[in-house]
Amino acid sequence: MRSKNTPFAFYLERLARAAQTLGLSKAQLKALQTPDKILDKKITIKTDKGRKETLRAYRVQFNNARGPYKGGIRFHPAADLSEVKALAAAMALKCAVVGIPLGGSKGGVQCDPKKYSSTELERVSRAYVRAIGGSLGVDTDIPAPDVYTTPEIMAYMLDEFEKKVGHSEPGMITGKPIALGGSEGRGTATAQGGVYVLEETVKALGLDRKKLRVAVQGFGNAGYHAARILHELGYHIVGLSDSTGALIAENGHKIDPTSVYIAKQNGGKISEHYADKKSMERDGVHVGINEELLTMDCDILIPAALDNQLTADNAANVKAKIILELANGPISPEADAILEKAGVTVIPDILANAGGVTVSYFEWVQNRQQYYWTEEQVLERLQPIMTSAFKAVSGLVKEKNVSYREAAFLLGIQRITEALKMRGVR
Ligand code: NAD
């Protein structure tokens, strides 16, 4: 029996509805309900103090009907099998929505990476590949970074893998450092992809970007670059936040994300960007708690930090009319229903943040060709993919009279089912 309210149970519920809408057969539904393979292992590492620790390590290969499995590996205490399964299914859908020839998988090590030194993290990374590596490979399953895993960790994993197989195979993992075959443009890909989709949304709604006020939750890779690019395009950035607090601009004032970024590099906290009250008053900005940002007065809200940020407790207070989910799963199912009822346009994660996996796909292509592109070439290729994914999703929004989330889910399921059919799953 499956437990209710787990991330994978939510996926199954949505899938059941999509199966009715799309008229899926029993065999197709079964293929989409069940991961192809689950690796559930125990890995043991030695800490710097010589103590042995055993950790749960997962890899879920969800579906490869459209191409090799693809999905990140997270190091997190909450990385359990239900979460990893749901994220693997989301990866299959995401790759299908943007039309790249890859399937879906996800990995996780249940641990608190913050308590490990860099050498301990290296040992976790290498142990993961020793346990799971037999199921990975350039034509089989291609991992990437996810929560608390970095390009450096990808480098350790590649190194361990190549030691094991005895040949060079850089395309077995993406999100690598450039020196080991990483792609130019990977760092800004998620934000840039999201901005391309947002621009299409704004156009479709007939809005003028120069009049739109944007609040961004999270000031890391996804959030900072999104805020910076949107500021450069003329949007008004009125709110920024990180784990330490928020900066909120009032009465027509706006914030320059790059100057906050520079200050954060020096000081460490968004909330410490302004050293004195006088300059805050001059710029019409105040420091708030990060919850305040989610419900502040703005036109566009971009959650780009953690999952489950908008819930039944705060969704009714959201003022934004557009939400771009750069984070994975920032809106709970209950909050989603509240926002839909309130007429908020939510651009779902499997479309909004798919720029990241698309440039991972470009990295894999470059590794296979042994021929590398410039950042300009990467972005030139990213834009048409994101734009046509948006158009395919918005076509379904109109055709089926559903939300963008429902439409993106339907499009992903439709495309995977098409491939399954051609493989005889009828
Ligand atoms: P990151 O670690 O670079 O940044 C996370 C940011 O969130 C940090 O600035 C942190 O201070 C902030 N934060 C943490 N708790 C917060 C809170 N309570 N309120 C406000 N801010 C808070 O991570 P990232 O790579 O930018 O990823 C962010 C989200 O985007 C995640 O959900 C991730 O899964 C998703 N995502 C990222 C990529 C990518 O390529 N980076 C791709 C797809 C999806």
Side-chain angles (χ1 to χ4, degrees), residues 186 190 217-222 241-243 264 290 304-306 326-328 353:
R186 179 63 187 85
T190 301
Q217 185 202 35
F219 204 60
N221 179 288
S241 71
D242 66 6
S243 59
K264 189 173 156 143
N290 38 46
L306 308 168
L326 277 190
N328 282 313
N353 69 32

Side-chain angles (χ1 to χ4, degrees), residues 3-51:
S3 50
K4 283 191 173 151
N5 295 331
T6 64
F8 194 63
F10 288 131
Y11 163 77
L12 291 177
E13 274 169 33
R14 202 174 279 281
L15 176 65
R17 285 203 301 275
Q20 287 203 334
T21 312
L22 298 172
L24 300 190
S25 71
K26 270 192 179 155
Q28 289 158 356
L29 181 59
K30 191 165 174 234
L32 292 161
Q33 281 170 332
T34 334
D36 291 344
K37 187 171 174 182
I38 295 176
L39 293 146
D40 179 351
K41 306 266 186 185
K42 286 191 174 127
I43 59 174
T44 302
I45 61 145
K46 234 184 202 176
T47 65
D48 291 344
K49 291 190 174 141
R51 203 165 26 88

Side-chain angles (χ1 to χ4, degrees), residues 207-259:
L207 302 170
D208 175 3
R209 63 153 92 112
K210 298 226 154 66
K211 293 190 182 137
L212 295 174
R213 297 158 306 151
V214 184
V216 184
Q217 185 202 35
F219 204 60
N221 179 288
Y224 162 60
H225 288 296
R228 175 186 58 77
I229 298 166
L230 290 172
H231 174 75
E232 286 162 9
L233 285 171
Y235 289 81
H236 293 237
I237 305 299
V238 291
L240 294 174
S241 71
D242 66 6
S243 59
T244 67
L247 276 184
I248 296 184
E250 297 142 350
N251 306 325
H253 290 277
K254 53 183 179 176
I255 306 170
D256 172 4
T258 303
S259 76

Side-chain angles (χ1 to χ4, degrees), residues 322-388:
I322 300 173
I323 301 181
L324 181 78
E325 288 188 331
L326 277 190
N328 282 313
I331 301 179
S332 76
E334 296 81 9
D336 207 39
I338 295 169
L339 294 166
E340 194 178 341
K341 216 166 157 200
V344 179
T345 300
V346 176
I347 306 297
D349 46 9
I350 58 171
L351 171 63
N353 69 32
V357 73
T358 302
V359 174
S360 268
Y361 160 61
F362 293 163
E363 180 176 334
W364 179 71
V365 169
Q366 293 168 76
N367 293 151
R368 306 194 73 132
Q369 295 177 337
Q370 304 274 18
Y371 184 73
Y372 289 86
W373 310 343
T374 62
E375 182 167 0
E376 209 182 6
Q377 289 170 316
V378 167
L379 295 180
E380 254 169 33
R381 288 164 163 123
L382 177 62
Q383 181 162 24
I385 289 182
M386 298 308 296
T387 305
S388 72

